Amino acid sequence: MRHRTQVAVIGAGPAGLLLSQLLFRAGIDCVVLERRSRAHVEARIRAGVLEQGTVDLLDRAGVGERLRREGLPHHGVRLAVDGDAFRIDLHGLTGGRSVTVYGQTEVTQDLIRAHRDRGAALHFGAEEVALHDLTSGAPSVTYVHEGVPHRLSCDYVAGCDGYHGVARASVPAEALRVFEREYPFGWLGILADVPPCDSELIYSNHVRGFALASMRSPTRSRYYVQVPLTERPENWPDERLWDELAVRLGPGAAARMTRGPAIEKSIAPLRSFVAEPMRHGRLFLAGDAAHIVPPTGAKGLNLAASDVGFLAEALIERLAGGSEAGLDAYSARALARVWMAERFSWWFTGLTHRFPDMDGFARRMQVAELNYIRASETARATVAENYVGLPLAYAAGGRDAR
Ligand code: FAD
Ligand code: DHB
């Protein structure tokens, strides 16, 4: 079957769904192709912390209503050294900015519901997606849906299909530069229907390794511990994981921690990755398709959202008959912000995790830096402004400051 649309969006994660929602509201036609089932996409447990800019963009996309009602505003965050915690006053140190705890599952469900309500072309179970003629004036996408082969002609392709997707893989190797760091550990995460141990998140540097106490709601908790990449979730029965969390988060948090059966338990590897540029002809990459940050600092979903904000603006300008200037500037504009978040996530990972080759000196450097942050308002302000999300002027290295 042959079809035509203005923008073919590959992937129905947060990036693809938010982009098509923003384009739809501007009267632009698009088709979203997703390899997995709706149930799979809606159940994938991942991010939990939204920057103010992400919340604002979701509002602008018309999907902010439940987020405003159920999201938990967080005005502070805690760091801990061997269980001894101190607070960073995000609100006070950033002129009133904060973050919102609202699960990626909820963001995805809200966006899918908005697509369904208006009968949008959102196809789950799209197989064998392939991109063609990206550097011509007439690109197309072929795929198989419910056994039927399709060809979709379009003006532009948005590659929002994550790190393992087909979009970045369709760019010739010589047209991309890749920058990468792999970390020799992963995060073992547990989700449980128990009240959180604290009203705010706790990022803990412990001599046994990193731990994070997070949440999804007043009755649902999310915790992580750093584990070697060789570990498997089966080696971590619930009690062993709760015991380890109690040690790494310290006696104060442990005393307030409620244990309960895991609803989900999985291990995620940590990686820093950027592919430049984020454009190849009429293909534009956004979100995890173009870059990955280690989860320390909660930047991944927020970067996907800021990419999509830039890309939607540029596509809307062009497809409303305007100039291509926004599309030409997209990659550089998005990458400026990406590199700022890459730096923060890499730095925060280095500050809080135990590395296999770490000796006593390296560990004391971490502890000294954490104690400096504890003592210095200037240092806490630096962490705070990165954690809530840098203003765009910073991301452009000051060049946008006007
Ligand atoms: P994805 O969510 O990966 O979506 C891509 C979609 O494309 C998927 O649905 C996939 O099935 C589909 N796809 C793939 N290949 C194809 C194909 N060939 N054809 C069609 N479709 C395809 N970020 C934060 O901001 N805050 C956090 O607190 C945070 N915590 C995290 C915790 C964990 C444990 C993990 C793993 C990640 C976390 N992140 C966090 C990162 C965040 O989840 C990702 O950055 C975010 O999902 C990126 O969205 P995306 O739409 O770009 O990619
Ligand atoms: C969560 C994940 C993160 O990567 C982070 O930095 C904070 C919270 C979470 O899943 O709740």
Side-chain angles (χ1 to χ4, degrees), residues 46-49 101 187 201 203 212 214-216 222 224 295-299 387:
R46 282 179 166 182
V49 178
V101 168
W187 279 16
L201 271 61
Y203 291 83
L212 169 60
S214 181
M215 67 193 72
R216 289 291 176 274
R222 179 73 165 157
Y224 299 94
T296 335
K299 292 291 166 222
Y387 195 80

Side-chain angles (χ1 to χ4, degrees), residues 3-9 28-32 121 139 141 151-156 319:
H3 325 253
R4 186 171 160 82
T5 190
Q6 289 178 288
V7 182
V9 178
I28 289 167
D29 189 52
C30 47
V31 173
V32 185
V141 178
R151 176 174 290 272
L152 178 63
S153 307
C154 55
D155 296 318
Y156 297 102
L319 290 168

Side-chain angles (χ1 to χ4, degrees), residues 10-17 33-36 40-41 44-50 104 126 129 160-167 187 203 216 222 224 266 268-269 286-289 291-293 295 297-304:
I10 316 300
L17 290 167
L33 301 174
E34 165 60 47
R35 189 178 50 172
R36 312 301 292 254
H40 179 94
V41 170
R44 217 163 24 199
I45 311 291
R46 282 179 166 182
V49 178
L50 307 182
Q104 180 167 331
V129 171
C160 303
D161 50 352
Y163 182 69
H164 299 287
V166 67
W187 279 16
Y203 291 83
R216 289 291 176 274
R222 179 73 165 157
Y224 299 94
S266 58
D288 280 15
H291 43 73
I292 298 286
V293 286
K299 292 291 166 222
L301 172 58
N302 293 297
L303 275 186

Side-chain angles (χ1 to χ4, degrees), residues 79-83 202-206 209-212 248-249 352:
L79 304 189
V81 187
D82 289 334
I202 307 171
Y203 291 83
S204 178
N205 174 321
H206 192 275
F210 171 79
L212 169 60
R248 295 193 194 180
L249 292 168
T352 50

Side-chain angles (χ1 to χ4, degrees), residues 133-148:
D133 305 319
L134 295 170
T135 52
S136 79
S140 63
V141 178
T142 53
Y143 61 100
V144 176
H145 190 234
E146 295 172 347
V148 180

